[in-house]
Amino acid sequence: MRLNLFFLTLLFSFTFSKSNAQCPEGDVQLLSQADVDNFVSTYPNCTNISGILTFGEFNSGFNDISDISGLNNMTTVDGELRIFGTQLTNLNGLNNLIEIGGLNILDNNQLIALSELGNISELNNGQLQIAFNYNLQSLEGLDNIQSISGRLYFGKNDSLYSFSNLSSLNSVGELVFIAGTNVTTLGGLENLQYIGSRIIIGDNQNLENITSLNSVNYVGGNVYISENPQLTSLEGIQNMVISTEGETIGLIFNDNPNLSTCNFPNICEYLSWNSTEYPREISGNTGNCTDEQAVLAACGLGISDVENNTTNWNVAYQKNKGSFLIQSNGFQLAEIEVYDLTGKLIKSVQNLNSNQEELRVFTPENVLIIKVKSKEGKVLAKKVLMK
């Protein structure tokens, strides 16, 4: 009898201990400090949340959560870690987190730092969104994040003046959104190479340059740069391969009053394509970026009509001869000019009066712009691949 009682007691103790160590299944939402304290008391040894872990509630005002230090056994959150409207000044209690699906920090007016998140290297199931944290001064703690499966979103963190702690980031699976910030540069994003969707840079009152985006070689959606009053050049996006898949407008450069340099090779190439298939919107800038025609002129394409597929003229590259055969149908050729994608004039032939010309062009470039002028003064252009 005593032996049976002993085993029952031992079994009960083991079951209680095991139950006490477990975490609740699925999503966990803690709306108040009392909820946090109760969770710590109920699950003192909890290490993994299998769903989303949320402090507070999105778009419902502020709460009284000010201390999450009791969660220091937590190591993984399979879904997003969401922190909404708290009174936290730091994230003490999350020091041992090594893996989270995503990070969403909104409306935490007392939050100053994120340094407790320094063990996290990737966000493989969500976004990195940090916005409306008006006293956040540093992104220290995000230094080791290399990839984000979802979007990267920064906006309205008024005390944040640098992205320098994002220097390990090389891939963003969806949108990159940087708006309403006080940064002067995008320093910290020098190693970012891939953006799976759009890039939006807007309403950054102090942003002077975007050169830190030099390593980005692919953007899966449109490039939108608007309302950045100090920005003078688009240097930084010149290596991007721009995709318009699923987008209404591929390039949008609007209302940047000091933006005057836009004629980079990839932009010139994009603007040389048919505007119906490759839409663009350029206005409210200055100098060579004032509007589409100004950019085209700076690219060496000061034309009234940019055409790729027309029936009234044709350009064929003759690889065996190293020359272009240019033929017109219904008009006489008067002038022919050849440009590279930076707008540099490579060859010019004038005083013509024919409907067929052959030009030899010696250049290491693979893509050229052929611009022709008719006797009537109409100017047309084509992008030609030398292969």
Side-chain angles (χ1 to χ4, degrees), residues 104-162:
N104 195 346
I105 302 178
L106 299 177
D107 291 318
N108 301 278
N109 284 347
Q110 307 305 316
L111 189 63
I112 297 173
L114 311 174
S115 56
E116 292 80 8
L117 301 177
N119 294 318
I120 297 168
S121 61
E122 66 175 343
L123 304 178
N124 56 20
N125 190 29
Q127 63 187 332
L128 173 57
Q129 177 168 272
I130 300 177
F132 302 102
N133 306 287
Y134 295 110
N135 287 302
L136 183 64
Q137 299 175 8
S138 169
L139 297 179
E140 181 182 357
L142 306 183
D143 309 71
N144 295 316
I145 294 179
Q146 300 175 27
S147 65
I148 302 168
S149 66
R151 67 178 183 171
L152 174 66
Y153 185 110
F154 285 103
K156 297 298 182 181
N157 302 289
D158 289 355
S159 298
L160 185 64
Y161 292 91
S162 172

Side-chain angles (χ1 to χ4, degrees), residues 300-303 335-337 339 369-373 379-381:
L301 297 171
I303 59 177
E335 298 178 10
I336 301 174
E337 294 178 337
Y339 295 86
I369 302 296
I370 309 296
K371 185 170 71 171
V372 301
K373 185 176 182 179
V379 181
L380 305 170

Side-chain angles (χ1 to χ4, degrees), residues 307-315 326-329 331 333 370-372 380-383:
E307 301 180 82
N308 264 341
N309 301 306
T310 56
T311 57
N312 59 349
W313 74 298
N314 184 61
V315 180
I326 302 167
Q327 298 172 306
S328 62
N329 180 20
F331 67 91
L333 298 168
I370 309 296
K371 185 170 71 171
V372 301
L380 305 170
K382 285 181 184 286
K383 177 177 70 73

Side-chain angles (χ1 to χ4, degrees), residues 263-266 268 298-300 339-345 365 367 369:
N263 56 314
F264 292 96
N266 58 337
C268 293
C299 290
Y339 295 86
D340 67 16
L341 292 181
T342 68
K344 178 182 177 182
L345 179 64
E365 302 295 330
V367 181
I369 302 296

